[in-house]
Amino acid sequence: MAESITWAVLLARWTEFAKSAVALPTSGSGGRWRESVASIIGLQAIALALRDLDEHDLGDGRALAIDTASVGLDSHARDLAEVWADEPWPEELHELIEDARLALQGARAAGLEWCVDDGPASLEHPAELAALLEAMGFTGDLYLAAPGVAMSASSPCAFLGVPGGSVPDAGFLEAMAAFLSANGLAAEPARCGPPRQVYRQFDFAQGGVVRDLVAPMLGDPRPGQPLLVPVVLSGETQAVALPQRRGQPVDPPPLVFEDEPPAVEAGEA
């Protein structure tokens, strides 16, 4: 059960952590770095607190927390721009701001993700589910594995998000559970932010498909064919292609997660 807490308390916790963890260069423009300390700590605290949101129950304060974090991020970025106005910014500062912005995007885009519990598995066309969600007043986003495409066990196959990244209402979850159950999937959803995409990647020199890569949807698309397709975006139902005519069942390729280190072959260690 999530701990009840306010954004101010959560941010204060991570501010204290950032104060103890921040390390500044010992050479270079020392004065500018000293003037940057408050913003460096603030940016780190905002990024950490945003990633910690789902561990706590902010109730109706979640949307306000995200808006407050956005204002704080912009304020710290402006302060740093003033400090380094007539000198190129150190790369570390760009990375701090980008990290906080990614955390903000992730919090806003958070939702619920379902993964294949016993693969390979595929989904039917979601027209009825989309119509049901529209009738229920759903205003968020729904991504599903393309109809008829075989997905590996542990692969993301569905994502449901509502504006502001809050947990979707129970009625929407019941509709999702019924659709997935009818497709033979019984896995429970998990909080995810930002949503993840599955890219089917090809190497034609090797003869075709080589792997499915799981990576965040935010940022630049990865090479390959995106397997999760938009079914509903901002409450608007999208056109979803019908599945291809079924032939011989084809097992999906190996599943790889972008944030996992590559396996070390024997003799490489």
Side-chain angles (χ1 to χ4, degrees), residues 220-231:
D220 295 331
R222 284 30 168 199
Q225 176 190 1
L227 300 186
L228 270 64
V229 298
V231 177

Side-chain angles (χ1 to χ4, degrees), residues 2-6 53-60:
E3 175 192 4
S4 180
I5 199 171
T6 66
L53 277 181
D54 287 332
E55 300 300 320
H56 308 281
D57 178 18
L58 274 70
D60 294 337

Side-chain angles (χ1 to χ4, degrees), residues 120 148-151 200 209 247-253:
V149 175
M151 309 291 286
R200 185 149 292 175
V209 179
Q248 287 293 109
V250 177
D251 289 337

Side-chain angles (χ1 to χ4, degrees), residues 55-118:
E55 300 300 320
H56 308 281
D57 178 18
L58 274 70
D60 294 337
R62 179 188 169 91
L64 178 59
I66 292 174
D67 289 343
T68 303
S70 178
V71 172
L73 193 164
D74 290 342
S75 176
H76 292 311
R78 285 195 301 270
D79 290 344
L80 289 174
E82 291 180 4
V83 172
W84 299 87
D86 56 354
E87 187 172 326
W89 285 41
E91 184 62 29
E92 296 92 333
L93 298 183
H94 288 294
E95 292 175 356
L96 279 172
I97 293 173
E98 180 63 16
D99 188 51
R101 285 179 175 156
L102 287 174
L104 181 64
Q105 290 176 338
R108 284 175 169 159
L112 291 175
E113 179 186 76
W114 287 260
C115 293
V116 176
D117 50 345
D118 186 14

Side-chain angles (χ1 to χ4, degrees), residues 1-242:
M1 183 176 181
E3 175 192 4
S4 180
I5 199 171
T6 66
W7 169 253
V9 172
L10 182 60
L11 185 61
R13 286 185 182 180
W14 284 112
T15 299
E16 288 303 312
F17 175 84
K19 284 180 180 178
S20 65
V22 67
L24 299 179
T26 56
S27 59
S29 305
R32 295 184 189 274
W33 280 108
R34 282 191 294 273
E35 290 182 66
S36 303
V37 169
S39 292
I40 289 172
I41 290 172
L43 287 168
Q44 287 183 321
I46 287 172
L48 291 165
L50 285 168
R51 294 191 173 103
D52 202 24
L53 277 181
D54 287 332
E55 300 300 320
H56 308 281
D57 178 18
L58 274 70
D60 294 337
R62 179 188 169 91
L64 178 59
I66 292 174
D67 289 343
T68 303
S70 178
V71 172
L73 193 164
D74 290 342
S75 176
H76 292 311
R78 285 195 301 270
D79 290 344
L80 289 174
E82 291 180 4
V83 172
W84 299 87
D86 56 354
E87 187 172 326
W89 285 41
E91 184 62 29
E92 296 92 333
L93 298 183
H94 288 294
E95 292 175 356
L96 279 172
I97 293 173
E98 180 63 16
D99 188 51
R101 285 179 175 156
L102 287 174
L104 181 64
Q105 290 176 338
R108 284 175 169 159
L112 291 175
E113 179 186 76
W114 287 260
C115 293
V116 176
D117 50 345
D118 186 14
S122 62
L123 301 180
E124 299 294 334
H125 196 276
E128 292 185 7
L129 173 62
L132 175 59
L133 290 175
E134 184 175 349
M136 297 171 67
F138 180 67
T139 60
D141 299 334
L142 169 63
Y143 289 86
L144 291 172
V149 175
M151 309 291 286
S152 299
S154 301
S155 174
C157 65
F159 176 86
L160 188 74
V162 295
S166 299
V167 176
D169 291 344
F172 303 143
L173 300 185
E174 290 172 4
M176 285 293 298
F179 173 78
L180 294 173
S181 177
N183 284 267
L185 299 174
E188 292 294 320
R191 285 290 279 169
C192 177
R196 298 188 295 176
Q197 180 61 273
V198 183
Y199 296 91
R200 185 149 292 175
Q201 299 187 322
F202 301 82
D203 185 339
F204 295 105
Q206 297 184 31
V209 179
V210 291
R211 67 177 187 171
D212 285 348
L213 175 69
V214 180
M217 283 190 188
L218 293 181
D220 295 331
R222 284 30 168 199
Q225 176 190 1
L227 300 186
L228 270 64
V229 298
V231 177
V232 181
L233 293 179
S234 299
E236 297 291 330
T237 299
Q238 308 296 300
V240 177
L242 292 170

